[in-house]
mmCIF file of all heavy atoms in Angstrom:
data_model
loop_
_atom_site.group_PDB
_atom_site.id
_atom_site.type_symbol
_atom_site.label_atom_id
_atom_site.label_comp_id
_atom_site.label_asym_id
_atom_site.label_seq_id
_atom_site.Cartn_x
_atom_site.Cartn_y
_atom_site.Cartn_z
ATOM 1 N N LYS S 1489 89.178 96.238 35.893
ATOM 2 C CA LYS S 1489 88.191 97.358 35.991
ATOM 3 C C LYS S 1489 88.748 98.393 37.066
ATOM 4 O O LYS S 1489 88.688 99.627 36.817
ATOM 5 C CB LYS S 1489 86.785 96.766 36.344
ATOM 6 C CG LYS S 1489 86.165 96.045 35.342
ATOM 7 C CD LYS S 1489 84.884 95.498 35.817
ATOM 8 C CE LYS S 1489 84.207 94.494 34.794
ATOM 9 N NZ LYS S 1489 83.753 95.450 33.601
ATOM 10 N N LEU S 1490 89.246 97.840 38.125
ATOM 11 C CA LEU S 1490 89.795 98.798 39.231
ATOM 12 C C LEU S 1490 90.878 99.544 38.724
ATOM 13 O O LEU S 1490 90.929 100.804 39.069
ATOM 14 C CB LEU S 1490 90.068 97.959 40.492
ATOM 15 C CG LEU S 1490 88.993 97.624 41.374
ATOM 16 C CD1 LEU S 1490 89.461 96.620 42.453
ATOM 17 C CD2 LEU S 1490 88.354 98.789 42.037
ATOM 18 N N ARG S 1491 91.815 98.967 37.988
ATOM 19 C CA ARG S 1491 93.045 99.714 37.471
ATOM 20 C C ARG S 1491 92.507 100.721 36.464
ATOM 21 O O ARG S 1491 93.136 101.962 36.449
ATOM 22 C CB ARG S 1491 93.997 98.730 36.774
ATOM 23 C CG ARG S 1491 94.808 97.809 37.763
ATOM 24 C CD ARG S 1491 95.911 97.150 37.092
ATOM 25 N NE ARG S 1491 96.434 96.112 37.971
ATOM 26 C CZ ARG S 1491 96.175 94.820 37.893
ATOM 27 N NH1 ARG S 1491 95.476 94.367 36.849
ATOM 28 N NH2 ARG S 1491 96.754 93.824 38.703
ATOM 29 N N GLY S 1492 91.575 100.553 35.674
ATOM 30 C CA GLY S 1492 91.058 101.426 34.762
ATOM 31 C C GLY S 1492 90.449 102.625 35.454
ATOM 32 O O GLY S 1492 90.530 103.788 35.112
ATOM 33 N N TYR S 1493 89.640 102.296 36.561
ATOM 34 C CA TYR S 1493 89.012 103.285 37.301
ATOM 35 C C TYR S 1493 90.017 104.234 38.002
ATOM 36 O O TYR S 1493 89.939 105.402 37.965
ATOM 37 C CB TYR S 1493 88.179 102.684 38.370
ATOM 38 C CG TYR S 1493 87.332 103.577 39.143
ATOM 39 C CD1 TYR S 1493 86.115 104.051 38.769
ATOM 40 C CD2 TYR S 1493 87.784 104.134 40.372
ATOM 41 C CE1 TYR S 1493 85.237 104.963 39.502
ATOM 42 C CE2 TYR S 1493 86.992 105.074 41.126
ATOM 43 C CZ TYR S 1493 85.739 105.405 40.660
ATOM 44 O OH TYR S 1493 84.991 106.285 41.384
ATOM 45 N N TYR S 1494 91.014 103.622 38.481
ATOM 46 C CA TYR S 1494 92.226 104.419 39.161
ATOM 47 C C TYR S 1494 92.939 105.246 38.217
ATOM 48 O O TYR S 1494 93.319 106.446 38.485
ATOM 49 C CB TYR S 1494 93.167 103.469 39.945
ATOM 50 C CG TYR S 1494 92.629 102.619 40.919
ATOM 51 C CD1 TYR S 1494 93.231 101.367 41.411
ATOM 52 C CD2 TYR S 1494 91.475 103.065 41.728
ATOM 53 C CE1 TYR S 1494 92.692 100.682 42.360
ATOM 54 C CE2 TYR S 1494 90.897 102.219 42.710
ATOM 55 C CZ TYR S 1494 91.535 100.994 43.060
ATOM 56 O OH TYR S 1494 91.047 100.143 44.007
ATOM 57 N N ARG S 1495 93.075 104.823 37.031
ATOM 58 C CA ARG S 1495 93.873 105.652 36.015
ATOM 59 C C ARG S 1495 93.164 106.838 35.608
ATOM 60 O O ARG S 1495 93.839 107.802 35.197
ATOM 61 C CB ARG S 1495 94.282 104.606 34.808
ATOM 62 C CG ARG S 1495 95.353 103.655 35.201
ATOM 63 C CD ARG S 1495 95.774 102.924 33.933
ATOM 64 N NE ARG S 1495 96.886 102.044 34.241
ATOM 65 C CZ ARG S 1495 98.134 102.365 34.289
ATOM 66 N NH1 ARG S 1495 98.491 103.564 34.070
ATOM 67 N NH2 ARG S 1495 99.065 101.482 34.519
ATOM 68 N N TYR S 1496 91.793 106.771 35.635
ATOM 69 C CA TYR S 1496 90.959 107.935 35.247
ATOM 70 C C TYR S 1496 90.858 108.946 36.425
ATOM 71 O O TYR S 1496 91.088 110.062 36.361
ATOM 72 C CB TYR S 1496 89.616 107.525 34.777
ATOM 73 C CG TYR S 1496 88.877 108.814 34.141
ATOM 74 C CD1 TYR S 1496 89.249 109.220 32.796
ATOM 75 C CD2 TYR S 1496 88.101 109.506 34.889
ATOM 76 C CE1 TYR S 1496 88.661 110.386 32.407
ATOM 77 C CE2 TYR S 1496 87.443 110.682 34.465
ATOM 78 C CZ TYR S 1496 87.618 111.098 33.198
ATOM 79 O OH TYR S 1496 86.971 112.254 32.768
ATOM 80 N N TYR S 1497 90.400 108.238 37.576
ATOM 81 C CA TYR S 1497 90.138 109.181 38.703
ATOM 82 C C TYR S 1497 91.317 109.305 39.696
ATOM 83 O O TYR S 1497 91.090 109.985 40.677
ATOM 84 C CB TYR S 1497 88.932 108.567 39.477
ATOM 85 C CG TYR S 1497 87.581 108.730 38.723
ATOM 86 C CD1 TYR S 1497 87.057 107.621 38.061
ATOM 87 C CD2 TYR S 1497 86.955 109.926 38.563
ATOM 88 C CE1 TYR S 1497 85.876 107.704 37.274
ATOM 89 C CE2 TYR S 1497 85.790 110.089 37.789
ATOM 90 C CZ TYR S 1497 85.377 109.044 37.239
ATOM 91 O OH TYR S 1497 84.135 109.117 36.488
ATOM 92 N N GLY S 1498 92.319 108.620 39.513
ATOM 93 C CA GLY S 1498 93.507 108.685 40.293
ATOM 94 C C GLY S 1498 94.364 110.016 40.216
ATOM 95 O O GLY S 1498 95.400 110.019 39.658
ATOM 96 N N MET S 1499 93.717 111.024 40.737
ATOM 97 C CA MET S 1499 94.294 112.337 40.638
ATOM 98 C C MET S 1499 94.552 112.976 41.939
ATOM 99 O O MET S 1499 93.930 112.589 43.027
ATOM 100 C CB MET S 1499 93.343 113.316 39.782
ATOM 101 C CG MET S 1499 93.899 114.738 39.594
ATOM 102 S SD MET S 1499 92.741 115.767 38.618
ATOM 103 C CE MET S 1499 93.133 115.158 37.040
ATOM 104 N N THR S 1500 95.526 113.886 42.169
ATOM 105 C CA THR S 1500 95.838 114.536 43.352
ATOM 106 C C THR S 1500 94.481 114.998 44.034
ATOM 107 O O THR S 1500 93.641 115.522 43.377
ATOM 108 C CB THR S 1500 96.648 115.763 43.035
ATOM 109 O OG1 THR S 1500 97.898 115.417 42.340
ATOM 110 C CG2 THR S 1500 97.146 116.426 44.353
ATOM 111 N N ASP S 1501 94.523 114.737 45.372
ATOM 112 C CA ASP S 1501 93.368 115.039 46.261
ATOM 113 C C ASP S 1501 92.244 114.112 46.191
ATOM 114 O O ASP S 1501 91.165 114.392 47.012
ATOM 115 C CB ASP S 1501 92.873 116.588 45.992
ATOM 116 C CG ASP S 1501 93.955 117.613 46.117
ATOM 117 O OD1 ASP S 1501 94.771 117.585 47.076
ATOM 118 O OD2 ASP S 1501 93.944 118.526 45.098
ATOM 119 N N ASN S 1502 92.286 113.132 45.410
ATOM 120 C CA ASN S 1502 91.113 112.259 45.188
ATOM 121 C C ASN S 1502 91.344 110.851 45.954
ATOM 122 O O ASN S 1502 90.654 109.920 45.677
ATOM 123 C CB ASN S 1502 90.751 111.957 43.823
ATOM 124 C CG ASN S 1502 89.373 111.485 43.585
ATOM 125 O OD1 ASN S 1502 88.475 111.844 44.336
ATOM 126 N ND2 ASN S 1502 89.171 110.842 42.582
ATOM 127 N N THR S 1503 92.308 110.823 46.865
ATOM 128 C CA THR S 1503 92.568 109.504 47.563
ATOM 129 C C THR S 1503 91.487 108.934 48.231
ATOM 130 O O THR S 1503 91.148 107.696 48.187
ATOM 131 C CB THR S 1503 93.807 109.723 48.540
ATOM 132 O OG1 THR S 1503 94.887 110.386 47.788
ATOM 133 C CG2 THR S 1503 94.294 108.482 49.046
ATOM 134 N N MET S 1504 90.718 109.791 49.017
ATOM 135 C CA MET S 1504 89.678 109.308 49.869
ATOM 136 C C MET S 1504 88.486 108.600 49.019
ATOM 137 O O MET S 1504 88.016 107.539 49.390
ATOM 138 C CB MET S 1504 89.074 110.402 50.721
ATOM 139 C CG MET S 1504 88.070 109.953 51.727
ATOM 140 S SD MET S 1504 87.463 111.230 52.777
ATOM 141 C CE MET S 1504 88.780 111.607 53.769
ATOM 142 N N ALA S 1505 88.195 109.288 47.981
ATOM 143 C CA ALA S 1505 87.049 108.792 47.062
ATOM 144 C C ALA S 1505 87.467 107.424 46.496
ATOM 145 O O ALA S 1505 86.720 106.499 46.314
ATOM 146 C CB ALA S 1505 86.696 109.804 46.034
ATOM 147 N N LEU S 1506 88.788 107.308 46.076
ATOM 148 C CA LEU S 1506 89.276 106.157 45.483
ATOM 149 C C LEU S 1506 89.260 105.004 46.345
ATOM 150 O O LEU S 1506 89.001 103.842 46.097
ATOM 151 C CB LEU S 1506 90.670 106.341 45.018
ATOM 152 C CG LEU S 1506 90.939 107.245 43.734
ATOM 153 C CD1 LEU S 1506 92.341 107.372 43.330
ATOM 154 C CD2 LEU S 1506 90.073 106.843 42.531
ATOM 155 N N GLY S 1507 89.816 105.304 47.719
ATOM 156 C CA GLY S 1507 89.727 104.385 48.791
ATOM 157 C C GLY S 1507 88.437 103.833 49.225
ATOM 158 O O GLY S 1507 88.161 102.562 49.353
ATOM 159 N N ASN S 1508 87.499 104.755 49.151
ATOM 160 C CA ASN S 1508 85.929 104.376 49.401
ATOM 161 C C ASN S 1508 85.496 103.469 48.285
ATOM 162 O O ASN S 1508 84.758 102.373 48.543
ATOM 163 C CB ASN S 1508 85.122 105.517 49.459
ATOM 164 C CG ASN S 1508 85.340 106.318 50.806
ATOM 165 O OD1 ASN S 1508 85.791 105.814 51.687
ATOM 166 N ND2 ASN S 1508 84.948 107.574 50.785
ATOM 167 N N PHE S 1509 85.850 103.661 47.012
ATOM 168 C CA PHE S 1509 85.423 102.910 45.901
ATOM 169 C C PHE S 1509 85.978 101.428 46.038
ATOM 170 O O PHE S 1509 85.335 100.427 45.787
ATOM 171 C CB PHE S 1509 85.926 103.526 44.533
ATOM 172 C CG PHE S 1509 85.292 102.869 43.429
ATOM 173 C CD1 PHE S 1509 84.047 103.134 42.892
ATOM 174 C CD2 PHE S 1509 86.052 101.897 42.707
ATOM 175 C CE1 PHE S 1509 83.458 102.551 41.823
ATOM 176 C CE2 PHE S 1509 85.430 101.295 41.415
ATOM 177 C CZ PHE S 1509 84.325 101.563 41.114
ATOM 178 N N TYR S 1510 87.274 101.430 46.462
ATOM 179 C CA TYR S 1510 87.915 100.091 46.506
ATOM 180 C C TYR S 1510 87.191 99.291 47.677
ATOM 181 O O TYR S 1510 86.914 98.063 47.490
ATOM 182 C CB TYR S 1510 89.358 100.251 46.964
ATOM 183 C CG TYR S 1510 90.150 99.034 47.536
ATOM 184 C CD1 TYR S 1510 90.565 98.027 46.713
ATOM 185 C CD2 TYR S 1510 90.242 98.901 48.955
ATOM 186 C CE1 TYR S 1510 91.206 97.005 47.152
ATOM 187 C CE2 TYR S 1510 90.807 97.764 49.478
ATOM 188 C CZ TYR S 1510 91.246 96.759 48.509
ATOM 189 O OH TYR S 1510 91.860 95.648 49.086
ATOM 190 N N ASP S 1511 86.838 99.962 48.826
ATOM 191 C CA ASP S 1511 86.217 99.172 49.875
ATOM 192 C C ASP S 1511 84.832 98.681 49.527
ATOM 193 O O ASP S 1511 84.401 97.566 49.814
ATOM 194 C CB ASP S 1511 86.085 100.183 51.146
ATOM 195 C CG ASP S 1511 87.403 100.416 51.804
ATOM 196 O OD1 ASP S 1511 88.151 99.564 51.745
ATOM 197 O OD2 ASP S 1511 87.541 101.348 52.448
ATOM 198 N N LYS S 1512 84.127 99.490 48.700
ATOM 199 C CA LYS S 1512 82.731 99.120 48.233
ATOM 200 C C LYS S 1512 82.763 97.869 47.376
ATOM 201 O O LYS S 1512 82.084 97.019 47.382
ATOM 202 C CB LYS S 1512 82.034 100.320 47.495
ATOM 203 C CG LYS S 1512 81.846 101.487 48.415
ATOM 204 C CD LYS S 1512 80.524 101.207 49.310
ATOM 205 C CE LYS S 1512 80.132 102.524 49.923
ATOM 206 N NZ LYS S 1512 79.071 102.320 50.844
ATOM 207 N N VAL S 1513 83.788 97.907 46.351
ATOM 208 C CA VAL S 1513 83.961 96.754 45.479
ATOM 209 C C VAL S 1513 84.374 95.555 46.240
ATOM 210 O O VAL S 1513 83.866 94.477 45.944
ATOM 211 C CB VAL S 1513 84.974 97.204 44.290
ATOM 212 C CG1 VAL S 1513 85.327 95.972 43.506
ATOM 213 C CG2 VAL S 1513 84.422 98.361 43.458
ATOM 214 N N ARG S 1514 85.254 95.681 47.096
ATOM 215 C CA ARG S 1514 85.778 94.606 47.977
ATOM 216 C C ARG S 1514 84.548 93.889 48.683
ATOM 217 O O ARG S 1514 84.400 92.629 48.756
ATOM 218 C CB ARG S 1514 86.738 94.936 48.970
ATOM 219 C CG ARG S 1514 87.421 93.803 49.727
ATOM 220 C CD ARG S 1514 88.605 94.313 50.589
ATOM 221 N NE ARG S 1514 88.054 95.204 51.665
ATOM 222 C CZ ARG S 1514 88.729 95.382 52.883
ATOM 223 N NH1 ARG S 1514 89.921 94.700 53.007
ATOM 224 N NH2 ARG S 1514 88.349 96.107 53.817
ATOM 225 N N ARG S 1515 83.556 94.622 49.184
ATOM 226 C CA ARG S 1515 82.449 94.238 49.838
ATOM 227 C C ARG S 1515 81.472 93.545 48.868
ATOM 228 O O ARG S 1515 80.806 92.580 49.190
ATOM 229 C CB ARG S 1515 81.809 95.271 50.658
ATOM 230 C CG ARG S 1515 82.651 95.653 51.848
ATOM 231 C CD ARG S 1515 81.876 96.700 52.811
ATOM 232 N NE ARG S 1515 82.698 97.003 54.038
ATOM 233 C CZ ARG S 1515 82.822 96.248 55.180
ATOM 234 N NH1 ARG S 1515 82.125 95.023 55.171
ATOM 235 N NH2 ARG S 1515 83.569 96.558 56.078
ATOM 236 N N MET S 1516 81.357 94.187 47.728
ATOM 237 C CA MET S 1516 80.512 93.575 46.737
ATOM 238 C C MET S 1516 80.989 92.103 46.327
ATOM 239 O O MET S 1516 80.130 91.207 46.048
ATOM 240 C CB MET S 1516 80.540 94.426 45.495
ATOM 241 C CG MET S 1516 79.773 95.767 45.567
ATOM 242 S SD MET S 1516 79.842 96.587 43.919
ATOM 243 C CE MET S 1516 79.116 98.042 44.342
ATOM 244 N N LEU S 1517 82.312 92.021 46.214
ATOM 245 C CA LEU S 1517 82.887 90.702 45.840
ATOM 246 C C LEU S 1517 82.502 89.678 47.042
ATOM 247 O O LEU S 1517 82.377 88.494 46.696
ATOM 248 C CB LEU S 1517 84.423 90.805 45.716
ATOM 249 C CG LEU S 1517 84.983 89.525 45.287
ATOM 250 C CD1 LEU S 1517 84.510 89.057 43.861
ATOM 251 C CD2 LEU S 1517 86.629 89.769 45.128
ATOM 252 N N PHE S 1518 82.751 90.095 48.226
ATOM 253 C CA PHE S 1518 82.420 89.238 49.352
ATOM 254 C C PHE S 1518 80.902 88.622 49.257
ATOM 255 O O PHE S 1518 80.655 87.536 49.446
ATOM 256 C CB PHE S 1518 82.536 89.985 50.561
ATOM 257 C CG PHE S 1518 82.235 89.227 51.825
ATOM 258 C CD1 PHE S 1518 82.898 88.070 52.212
ATOM 259 C CD2 PHE S 1518 81.036 89.579 52.685
ATOM 260 C CE1 PHE S 1518 82.626 87.335 53.416
ATOM 261 C CE2 PHE S 1518 80.829 88.796 53.820
ATOM 262 C CZ PHE S 1518 81.579 87.732 54.133
ATOM 263 N N LYS S 1519 79.970 89.663 48.906
ATOM 264 C CA LYS S 1519 78.593 89.215 48.750
ATOM 265 C C LYS S 1519 78.429 88.263 47.641
ATOM 266 O O LYS S 1519 77.537 87.323 47.574
ATOM 267 C CB LYS S 1519 77.716 90.492 48.538
ATOM 268 C CG LYS S 1519 77.636 91.193 49.857
ATOM 269 C CD LYS S 1519 76.738 92.547 49.584
ATOM 270 C CE LYS S 1519 76.473 93.376 50.872
ATOM 271 N NZ LYS S 1519 75.716 94.549 50.730
ATOM 272 N N TRP S 1520 79.269 88.561 46.546
ATOM 273 C CA TRP S 1520 79.154 87.641 45.308
ATOM 274 C C TRP S 1520 79.430 86.279 45.660
ATOM 275 O O TRP S 1520 78.898 85.331 45.216
ATOM 276 C CB TRP S 1520 80.140 88.305 44.273
ATOM 277 C CG TRP S 1520 80.309 87.437 43.046
ATOM 278 C CD1 TRP S 1520 79.438 87.509 41.947
ATOM 279 C CD2 TRP S 1520 81.276 86.465 42.694
ATOM 280 N NE1 TRP S 1520 79.939 86.658 40.933
ATOM 281 C CE2 TRP S 1520 80.976 86.022 41.446
ATOM 282 C CE3 TRP S 1520 82.354 85.949 43.393
ATOM 283 C CZ2 TRP S 1520 81.849 85.067 40.858
ATOM 284 C CZ3 TRP S 1520 83.208 85.000 42.833
ATOM 285 C CH2 TRP S 1520 82.846 84.512 41.544
ATOM 286 N N PHE S 1521 80.554 86.059 46.514
ATOM 287 C CA PHE S 1521 80.981 84.755 46.845
ATOM 288 C C PHE S 1521 79.745 84.062 47.670
ATOM 289 O O PHE S 1521 79.589 82.890 47.361
ATOM 290 C CB PHE S 1521 82.102 84.842 47.839
ATOM 291 C CG PHE S 1521 83.438 84.797 47.119
ATOM 292 C CD1 PHE S 1521 84.338 85.933 47.179
ATOM 293 C CD2 PHE S 1521 83.906 83.619 46.434
ATOM 294 C CE1 PHE S 1521 85.494 85.874 46.493
ATOM 295 C CE2 PHE S 1521 85.123 83.603 45.638
ATOM 296 C CZ PHE S 1521 85.874 84.698 45.679
ATOM 297 N N ASN S 1522 79.089 84.708 48.488
ATOM 298 C CA ASN S 1522 78.018 84.147 49.263
ATOM 299 C C ASN S 1522 76.630 83.959 48.629
ATOM 300 O O ASN S 1522 75.772 83.588 49.182
ATOM 301 C CB ASN S 1522 77.997 84.928 50.604
ATOM 302 C CG ASN S 1522 79.090 84.605 51.604
ATOM 303 O OD1 ASN S 1522 79.418 83.440 51.798
ATOM 304 N ND2 ASN S 1522 79.848 85.627 51.892
ATOM 305 N N ARG S 1523 76.566 84.564 47.377
ATOM 306 C CA ARG S 1523 75.350 84.402 46.624
ATOM 307 C C ARG S 1523 75.403 83.147 45.682
ATOM 308 O O ARG S 1523 74.468 82.932 45.024
ATOM 309 C CB ARG S 1523 75.085 85.677 45.880
ATOM 310 C CG ARG S 1523 74.447 86.795 46.725
ATOM 311 C CD ARG S 1523 74.082 88.018 45.944
ATOM 312 N NE ARG S 1523 73.587 89.071 46.700
ATOM 313 C CZ ARG S 1523 73.797 90.281 46.507
ATOM 314 N NH1 ARG S 1523 74.579 90.707 45.648
ATOM 315 N NH2 ARG S 1523 73.303 91.190 47.420
ATOM 316 N N ARG S 1524 76.633 82.635 45.509
ATOM 317 C CA ARG S 1524 76.780 81.590 44.541
ATOM 318 C C ARG S 1524 76.131 80.305 44.991
ATOM 319 O O ARG S 1524 76.051 79.389 44.068
ATOM 320 C CB ARG S 1524 78.365 81.479 44.266
ATOM 321 C CG ARG S 1524 78.944 82.521 43.377
ATOM 322 C CD ARG S 1524 80.453 82.467 43.500
ATOM 323 N NE ARG S 1524 81.128 81.336 42.971
ATOM 324 C CZ ARG S 1524 81.493 81.310 41.686
ATOM 325 N NH1 ARG S 1524 81.269 82.333 40.788
ATOM 326 N NH2 ARG S 1524 82.047 80.183 41.289
ATOM 327 N N SER S 1525 75.964 80.212 46.212
ATOM 328 C CA SER S 1525 75.230 78.852 46.690
ATOM 329 C C SER S 1525 74.350 79.292 47.806
ATOM 330 O O SER S 1525 74.325 80.437 48.305
ATOM 331 C CB SER S 1525 76.226 77.925 47.088
ATOM 332 O OG SER S 1525 76.943 78.465 48.353
ATOM 333 N N GLN S 1526 73.266 78.485 48.122
ATOM 334 C CA GLN S 1526 72.353 78.661 49.139
ATOM 335 C C GLN S 1526 73.003 78.806 50.533
ATOM 336 O O GLN S 1526 72.491 79.495 51.393
ATOM 337 C CB GLN S 1526 71.200 77.622 49.106
ATOM 338 C CG GLN S 1526 70.427 77.691 47.831
ATOM 339 C CD GLN S 1526 69.283 76.603 47.857
ATOM 340 O OE1 GLN S 1526 69.285 75.763 48.696
ATOM 341 N NE2 GLN S 1526 68.415 76.908 46.933
ATOM 342 N N ARG S 1527 74.063 77.954 50.722
ATOM 343 C CA ARG S 1527 74.713 78.053 52.061
ATOM 344 C C ARG S 1527 75.740 79.099 51.924
ATOM 345 O O ARG S 1527 76.450 79.429 51.011
ATOM 346 C CB ARG S 1527 75.315 76.749 52.172
ATOM 347 C CG ARG S 1527 74.522 75.624 52.391
ATOM 348 C CD ARG S 1527 75.255 74.248 52.703
ATOM 349 N NE ARG S 1527 76.117 74.299 53.797
ATOM 350 C CZ ARG S 1527 77.024 73.374 54.058
ATOM 351 N NH1 ARG S 1527 77.203 72.314 53.252
ATOM 352 N NH2 ARG S 1527 77.749 73.523 55.158
ATOM 353 N N LYS S 1528 76.091 79.704 53.070
ATOM 354 C CA LYS S 1528 76.988 80.875 53.188
ATOM 355 C C LYS S 1528 78.381 80.211 53.015
ATOM 356 O O LYS S 1528 78.761 79.314 53.855
ATOM 357 C CB LYS S 1528 76.886 81.605 54.477
ATOM 358 C CG LYS S 1528 77.708 82.787 54.550
ATOM 359 C CD LYS S 1528 77.332 83.636 55.753
ATOM 360 C CE LYS S 1528 78.206 84.959 55.664
ATOM 361 N NZ LYS S 1528 77.916 85.766 56.938
ATOM 362 N N SER S 1529 79.058 80.435 51.985
ATOM 363 C CA SER S 1529 80.292 79.740 51.497
ATOM 364 C C SER S 1529 81.608 80.373 52.113
ATOM 365 O O SER S 1529 82.520 79.636 52.186
ATOM 366 C CB SER S 1529 80.393 79.522 49.999
ATOM 367 O OG SER S 1529 80.384 80.808 49.518
ATOM 368 N N MET S 1530 81.517 81.516 52.481
ATOM 369 C CA MET S 1530 82.822 82.206 53.050
ATOM 370 C C MET S 1530 82.512 83.333 53.964
ATOM 371 O O MET S 1530 81.658 84.148 53.861
ATOM 372 C CB MET S 1530 83.415 82.859 51.725
ATOM 373 C CG MET S 1530 84.763 83.452 52.028
ATOM 374 S SD MET S 1530 85.559 84.106 50.572
ATOM 375 C CE MET S 1530 86.037 82.641 49.743
#
């Protein structure tokens, strides 16, 4: 999904927006890990 996003929006001058998207998705994945069980797993 990320590679597909970068291939469409990865255009000159758009580096900051792409970096912000990467950071948001990375944090979403962190929350995903800790929602899989009642105890904070990671």
Side-chain angles (χ1 to χ4, degrees):
K1489 289 175 185 295
L1490 280 170
R1491 287 192 192 100
Y1493 186 87
Y1494 299 153
R1495 285 187 180 275
Y1496 187 84
Y1497 291 105
M1499 181 178 283
T1500 304
D1501 304 316
N1502 200 27
T1503 304
M1504 186 179 292
L1506 292 181
N1508 288 341
F1509 189 82
Y1510 165 82
D1511 287 337
K1512 294 281 188 184
V1513 171
R1514 190 174 66 154
R1515 290 188 178 277
M1516 282 182 195
L1517 182 61
F1518 177 65
K1519 289 180 180 179
W1520 177 85
F1521 272 114
N1522 288 302
R1523 283 184 181 139
R1524 285 164 68 91
S1525 63
Q1526 291 182 346
R1527 295 178 61 190
K1528 193 171 182 180
S1529 58
M1530 186 176 287

